[in-house]
Amino acid sequence: MSYGLSDEQVAVQHTVREFAQRELGPLVAEAEATGRFPRPQILPRMAELGLLSVGVPESLGGSGGGSLLLCVLAEEIARVSGGFAIGAMASILAPAILVRLQGEQANRALLEPLMTGQILPALAFTEPRGGSDLASMTTTATKTEGGVRLRGQKTFISNGPTADAFLVAAVRADHAGLPREERAKGIGVHVVLRGTPGVSFGPPMKKLGMRSSETSEVFLDDAFAPAGGLGGGTGAGRGFRQMMELLDVNRLYISALSVGLAQAAFEASLAYAKERSAFGKPIGHHQAVGFKVARMAMRLDAARALVQRASELLDRGERCTRQVSEAKLFCTEAAVEITSDAVQIHGAYGYVEDLPVERYFRDARVGPIWEGTNEIQQQIICRELGLYGE
Ligand SMILES: Cc1cc2nc3c(=O)[nH]c(=O)nc-3n(C[C@H](O)[C@H](O)[C@H](O)COP(=O)(O)OP(=O)(O)OC[C@H]3O[C@@H](n4cnc5c(N)ncnc54)[C@H](O)[C@@H]3O)c2cc1C
């Protein structure tokens, strides 16, 4: 992506592209095989390059920039490894989210170690009984001296096994028994640190793709979260709104990540369509293959345009719920289609681990599932179009 980017954004794009290709590329094979996110080799270097403080103004010690730049990071890292883009996602987004929610009052005790890569965060929203209906979550926050005590279970948490700080969504205990709409008003996001008594984890989950990112359950048994994390849970709906705002940023990141995977699959396919021959000519000269490549290029361009539009609206503070959902829906579907076509273009070589094409395909498949399934995105779009009434 460089269309629509400023010179400054293009310069950051080059930095992160070079970093990803030169420094992250060689780590991918081992990380995929072991299922471990190589945090020591990734986070300190990203901090050094200023990539963990994008979206944080310089007045707070950050690198500046906004959502579009966060999307550039997602795309460039995912071109090399979808798993790394997920492992680093919370580290990249948490500082920007803190500032978006708390402004100049952002919790420095959290912001600084996040920006320097000293702590690895995790976003813990999903629960075993369902991730789509967040308002029905059952993890409770009970007010106590200096903070809250959290009780419940989260699942499918990226970085779950290794994170130092968990951004946990929970409903206020005194709202837990209320009807759905009222419950939602009691939802807030709290920060719990690793090592806090009452915090424990399940084993890393074995997944179809994104294998170099670690995923697990997180158990909270009266775990203490100090006040001043992300606040919320005021009973006035602020916490739930905060969580939804946070999801907008996450969804754009996931959209761009999907574009990165699709870009890698497209580049591999274009090269292969030129070099592989069948029936006396390059396979790209057979329309069935060439047209697939053409459609890949078209979908990639459209996907990026949707990411850019939604990012710009978000940064201008304009309402963009529909545009974010459209980007998430389109980009994740496009990535599944493009990576699947890439496997087809590569024939049997697309199906074996000698080439990364099968990994792109496996990694892309989670896109329509997470950060609000694509069914939910379509519901949101319908709602925003007024289809269900005002
Ligand atoms: C690899 C991976 C990493 C993840 N990382 C994180 C993380 O770091 N933090 C976190 O909080 N979560 C994470 N998740 C969880 C993810 O966000 C959820 O899986 C997702 O929100 C969907 O929730 P669910 O799996 O419970 O599906 P469900 O909500 O149970 O939905 C099941 C199916 O029913 C459909 N459905 C549900 N409701 C409706 C409806 N009203 N209309 C139509 N269809 C509907 C869904 O679209 C889906 O197809 C991760 C998931 C994966 C796979």
Side-chain angles (χ1 to χ4, degrees):
M1 144 155 81
S2 60
Y3 171 80
L5 298 184
S6 67
D7 291 349
E8 216 173 308
Q9 287 164 334
V10 170
V12 176
Q13 181 185 44
H14 286 160
T15 302
V16 65
R17 183 174 296 172
E18 201 186 301
F19 160 70
Q21 289 176 351
R22 211 182 44 205
E23 299 186 42
L24 302 187
L27 307 174
V28 174
E30 191 183 338
E32 287 287 316
T34 58
R36 305 291 302 269
F37 174 64
R39 168 185 175 174
Q41 285 108 305
I42 297 183
L43 291 192
R45 274 295 286 145
M46 286 188 71
E48 243 173 68
L49 295 169
L51 303 178
L52 297 184
S53 55
V54 172
V56 177
E58 284 166 26
S59 59
L60 289 172
S63 313
S67 304
L68 190 51
L69 211 47
L70 293 168
C71 289
V72 167
L73 301 192
E75 179 177 337
E76 294 303 328
I77 297 172
R79 268 176 76 179
V80 171
S81 161
F84 290 174
I86 283 305
M89 171 176 167
S91 297
I92 292 172
L93 296 186
I97 286 171
L98 265 186
V99 169
R100 196 174 280 269
L101 298 182
Q102 300 182 329
E104 289 286 326
Q105 307 307 316
N107 181 349
R108 297 292 184 108
L110 199 55
L111 188 59
E112 273 156 27
L114 281 170
M115 292 195 302
T116 50
Q118 280 167 280
I119 60 173
L120 179 71
L123 304 172
F125 293 176
T126 304
E127 299 188 351
R129 275 196 246 162
S132 299
D133 185 7
L134 284 174
S136 297
M137 68 176 59
T138 58
T139 298
T140 53
T142 308
K143 218 164 182 208
T144 186
E145 176 89 31
V148 295
R149 292 213 172 268
L150 298 170
R151 176 175 274 274
Q153 184 181 343
K154 298 290 177 182
T155 191
F156 301 117
I157 305 308
S158 302
N159 297 341
T162 51
D164 304 299
F166 296 87
L167 277 63
V168 178
V171 61
R172 270 171 52 160
D174 58 352
H175 278 240
L178 298 179
R180 201 171 165 283
E181 294 289 304
E182 287 305 306
R183 286 172 61 81
K185 291 184 181 166
I187 290 177
V189 181
H190 307 272
V191 181
V192 186
L193 299 178
R194 187 180 198 84
T196 300
V199 181
S200 58
F201 319 94
M205 293 169 161
K206 292 192 184 299
K207 308 191 293 293
L208 172 69
M210 299 293 185
R211 292 188 180 161
S212 54
S213 138
E214 297 163 63
T215 316
S216 76
E217 292 170 296
V218 177
F219 303 99
L220 302 152
D221 186 8
D222 280 336
F224 178 70
L230 283 192
T234 57
R238 189 174 134 246
F240 194 65
R241 276 204 304 277
Q242 281 184 340
M243 194 169 71
M244 291 300 138
E245 277 180 50
L246 199 149
L247 283 180
D248 277 346
V249 182
N250 285 5
R251 282 176 186 155
L252 281 181
Y253 184 94
I254 291 298
S255 307
L257 180 158
S258 302
V259 172
L261 286 171
Q263 177 69 28
F266 162 71
E267 285 169 16
S269 302
L270 181 60
Y272 199 71
K274 289 179 185 168
E275 84 196 27
R276 176 82 171 174
S277 286
F279 297 91
K281 55 183 177 183
I283 57 170
H285 289 206
H286 298 291
Q287 271 191 0
V289 174
F291 283 11
K292 273 195 179 66
V293 178
R295 294 178 70 80
M296 284 179 174
M298 170 194 73
R299 285 200 188 106
L300 271 166
D301 285 346
R304 284 198 184 95
L306 288 177
V307 169
Q308 284 186 359
R309 178 182 69 162
S311 304
E312 282 170 20
L313 290 172
L314 192 68
D315 287 344
R316 289 211 298 263
E318 289 183 32
R319 182 170 172 79
C320 56
T321 307
R322 176 167 66 85
Q323 288 82 356
V324 169
S325 287
E326 286 176 4
K328 199 273 177 178
L329 177 62
F330 188 88
C331 294
T332 55
E333 277 183 0
V336 171
E337 286 161 12
I338 290 171
T339 56
S340 173
D341 282 350
V343 170
Q344 192 66 19
I345 288 173
H346 283 77
Y349 292 101
Y351 198 71
V352 293
E353 290 184 12
D354 305 35
L355 296 180
V357 177
E358 59 85 36
R359 169 164 60 85
Y360 304 146
F361 175 60
R362 286 187 289 104
D363 285 355
R365 186 59 188 88
V366 72
I369 297 172
W370 61 14
E371 291 304 337
T373 65
N374 281 7
E375 288 75 20
I376 297 297
Q377 302 313 313
Q378 287 167 85
Q379 277 192 348
I380 294 172
I381 295 167
C382 287
R383 192 191 64 216
E384 292 294 307
L385 291 172
L387 207 59
Y388 306 148
E390 291 310 309

